Amino acid sequence: LRAVLEKVDDWSFDVFELERESEGRPLQVMTWHAFLRHGLIAEFDLDHVKLVNFLRVVESGHQDNPYHNATHVADVVQSMHVLLLNGGLGRFVSPLETLAGLLAASVHDFEHRGFNNDFLVKTSDDWAIDSNDRSPNETHHLSQAMRVLLQPECNFLHRMPQAQQVYVRKLVIDMVLATDMAEHMAIVSKLKTDLLKRLQNPDDLIEEVQDPLRTLVMQGAIKMADIGHLYAATDVHVIWSERLEEELFRQGDMERALGQPVSQLMDREKEGVTKTQDGFFKGVARPLAQAWVGLFPASAFLLPLLDANCAYWSSAAAAGMPP
């Protein structure tokens, strides 16, 4: 396990190796390591016993979905860690934003059941009713994670000043809600305009930026981290893509069983997401990555990785090959 964690500062880190070596506790191990690596426990006098309890409960709350599972969350935490450490983000944020960023990453899919927001709304699921159809997944992940955090045995923030706790909670909420793909284009647009214009001077520090723009930085960061496998080694990326396809097919199976029309890319009898990756890369992933690298040139190493995986899918499609 120690040998695996020695590679955690690199984007090429293989989270499946961590899954194996951590004996099925990748989320706990990765998040604990990231908190230590960034000095957060000492910086904020965090209760380390309650942090362990919190992470244990959060990990156990993740279902065994093909894609939205504890290993995916560990992968997102590691991606956030690398963006902070090597991607240029760290020099623009304070330790408080670092804490909020890693916490948001660790809870952003808490109790995910493998269904997207559209399905939850169409089926009048309790999560949709509770959220008034607005980001039902993300709203549930947040509310339930915050309930865990408020449990006396899990509240590792209890020694922090109240104002800091309030700020962390608000930032975590804003970040996790940003992972709803319905918000994607709006956030990318804001990154291109509001933030890029404000941070054109490389000497600008985030401490000098107003809170709305500071929040936007962190929303962009978690969106980059949430699709981090798009920048992974191709073999790792393909595994995640196949897992996502299977999870979507399972939703399609459920839709068919309920007598509903099967959603696009979710019908097992038709092409799935592994046959349409080229469009996703060019229409969704690359605009986000380009906007992010415009803000943080230190993250430019991600673009060749993204392009390599996009080229893989383009070649596969041209050759008519399975992934």
Side-chain angles (χ1 to χ4, degrees), residues 9 11 79-92 292-293 295-302:
D9 295 349
W11 196 270
S79 296
M80 178 67 74
H81 161 69
V82 176
L83 290 175
L84 286 161
L85 193 68
N86 299 327
L89 179 60
R91 70 179 294 266
F92 285 90
W292 183 260
V293 171
L295 291 166
F296 301 106
S299 293
F301 65 92
L302 297 175

Side-chain angles (χ1 to χ4, degrees), residues 146-181:
M146 291 300 171
R147 285 191 172 94
V148 173
L149 185 58
L150 289 175
Q151 294 174 11
E153 67 274 16
C154 295
N155 188 1
F156 63 92
L157 305 177
H158 69 93
R159 291 197 286 258
M160 290 176 62
Q162 186 64 26
Q164 288 187 339
Q165 293 188 47
V166 169
Y167 178 69
V168 168
R169 171 177 157 80
K170 181 181 185 302
L171 189 51
V172 168
I173 290 171
D174 288 338
M175 290 177 69
V176 174
L177 288 177
T179 63
D180 183 352
M181 284 303 294

Side-chain angles (χ1 to χ4, degrees), residues 84 89-95 97-98 206-207 214 217-218:
L84 286 161
L89 179 60
R91 70 179 294 266
F92 285 90
V93 300
S94 73
E97 280 89 34
T98 297
I206 195 67
E207 286 83 354
R214 194 184 310 219
V217 168
M218 299 308 295

Side-chain angles (χ1 to χ4, degrees), residues 110-303:
F110 185 51
E111 296 186 345
H112 202 297
R113 288 149 53 201
F115 302 120
N116 66 13
N117 284 336
D118 184 56
F119 177 85
L120 298 177
V121 170
K122 287 192 304 185
T123 58
S124 297
D125 188 88
D126 284 345
W127 293 10
I129 301 301
D130 291 342
S131 65
N132 295 314
D133 292 351
R134 297 176 181 174
S135 303
N137 267 316
E138 293 75 18
T139 298
H140 180 87
H141 305 327
L142 282 164
S143 62
Q144 294 307 108
M146 291 300 171
R147 285 191 172 94
V148 173
L149 185 58
L150 289 175
Q151 294 174 11
E153 67 274 16
C154 295
N155 188 1
F156 63 92
L157 305 177
H158 69 93
R159 291 197 286 258
M160 290 176 62
Q162 186 64 26
Q164 288 187 339
Q165 293 188 47
V166 169
Y167 178 69
V168 168
R169 171 177 157 80
K170 181 181 185 302
L171 189 51
V172 168
I173 290 171
D174 288 338
M175 290 177 69
V176 174
L177 288 177
T179 63
D180 183 352
M181 284 303 294
E183 303 298 320
H184 181 82
M185 297 311 298
I187 290 175
V188 172
S189 177
K190 289 179 181 178
L191 285 172
K192 288 180 176 179
T193 55
D194 301 358
L195 257 178
L196 194 55
K197 185 184 301 181
R198 177 61 182 83
L199 298 180
Q200 284 176 343
N201 182 350
D203 294 326
D204 282 349
L205 295 176
I206 195 67
E207 286 83 354
E208 301 167 1
V209 178
Q210 295 178 351
D211 281 346
L213 294 182
R214 194 184 310 219
T215 297
L216 184 57
V217 168
M218 299 308 295
Q219 288 177 316
I222 198 168
K223 289 190 69 61
M224 286 289 293
D226 198 19
I227 57 173
H229 73 87
L230 298 182
Y231 319 95
T234 299
D235 58 337
V236 174
H237 163 62
V238 169
I239 291 172
W240 280 121
S241 300
E242 291 172 344
R243 288 187 173 205
L244 176 60
E245 183 171 68
E246 173 57 26
E247 187 167 303
L248 295 177
F249 282 159
R250 291 185 186 186
Q251 177 175 316
D253 295 342
M254 179 64 73
E255 290 172 338
R256 182 176 283 109
L258 293 173
Q260 297 182 351
V262 177
S263 299
Q264 186 178 9
L265 302 179
M266 299 188 189
D267 192 335
R268 289 186 185 276
E269 300 172 4
K270 300 178 181 179
E271 291 186 343
V273 294
T274 60
K275 303 299 190 296
T276 60
Q277 287 287 71
D278 186 63
F280 182 81
F281 270 84
K282 294 176 180 177
V284 177
R286 206 168 206 291
L288 172 62
Q290 287 176 319
W292 183 260
V293 171
L295 291 166
F296 301 106
S299 293
F301 65 92
L302 297 175
L303 292 179

